[in-house]
Amino acid sequence: MKHHAPEKDVSPISFRANVLRLPQKGMPVVIDATEKQRKELAEVHRLLEVENLEARLLVAPWKRNGVRVSGRVEADVVQACVVTLEPVRNHIDEEIDSLFLPHDSKLGRLGFDGGGEIVLDAEGDDSPETFEGDSIDVGALAEEFFGLGIDPYPRKDGAM
């Protein structure tokens, strides 16, 4: 049986959080990757193994109709050393703090009077991400940060 590749856009740990009626204090979301999800993540990110991955997030209302997703993603991964190809273990611990606005929101395009620190992604994009409909894929967001935490040049101790 031919293995059907998952759609490009769908994260192995996809989890859609409904953001229409968020409690003021926010809605906690915990994503604990299953064995199947960890295998898929390892394939997607070219890792030998993802031993565990857990994201603990808080999905909370922000300003009038925005959403703030904060928390952290932690994982233990095994990668091939870039020099010796031996397995190297790494712990990933990334803080997540992202803002989302409805795609038709004025605030999103006009730039930003956020006030306080706003941590943005490596692309240096100065506006929040946008979402359509009534949900945000917080699993895909967690995977994005997991990806940022992966060491691009894993080396076994002492490998030159």
Side-chain angles (χ1 to χ4, degrees):
M1 199 174 115
K2 198 169 164 306
H3 176 69
H4 177 68
E7 284 177 56
K8 261 280 165 274
D9 314 18
V10 181
S11 166
I13 51 173
S14 176
F15 182 92
R16 298 206 73 87
N18 187 310
V19 295
L20 276 192
R21 289 179 205 74
L22 286 173
Q24 207 45 52
K25 289 197 298 285
M27 172 180 71
V29 173
V30 177
I31 295 168
D32 192 356
T34 63
E35 189 180 347
K36 179 175 177 290
Q37 290 171 323
R38 295 196 311 266
K39 279 203 168 76
E40 286 179 22
L41 282 169
E43 274 176 36
V44 172
H45 294 277
R46 297 189 178 83
L47 303 166
L48 298 179
E49 196 184 340
V50 177
E51 294 181 334
N52 55 62
L53 177 146
E54 186 184 73
R56 294 183 165 277
L57 307 169
L58 187 66
V59 184
W62 183 81
K63 301 255 178 187
R64 193 170 319 133
N65 48 7
V67 177
R68 180 177 188 180
V69 182
S70 59
R72 62 186 336 113
V73 58
E74 289 193 67
D76 289 293
V77 300
V78 182
Q79 299 172 260
C81 169
V82 289
V83 182
T84 65
L85 298 185
E86 289 173 81
V88 182
R89 306 176 78 100
N90 274 318
H91 182 68
I92 291 173
D93 184 353
E94 290 287 318
E95 200 168 323
I96 296 173
D97 197 353
S98 294
L99 298 172
F100 291 85
L101 289 169
H103 71 107
D104 51 6
S105 161
K106 306 254 182 300
L107 191 63
R109 290 298 130 238
L110 298 174
F112 218 58
D113 58 338
E117 281 288 278
I118 287 158
V119 183
L120 294 158
D121 60 351
E123 259 67 81
D125 185 331
D126 274 334
S127 59
E129 297 190 46
T130 56
F131 67 95
E132 292 192 37
D134 56 7
S135 68
I136 292 173
D137 190 342
V138 294
L141 179 70
E143 184 193 347
E144 220 175 281
F145 279 84
F146 164 78
L148 292 176
I150 296 170
D151 181 350
Y153 302 106
R155 284 171 186 268
K156 195 121 180 99
D157 285 347
M160 299 314 265

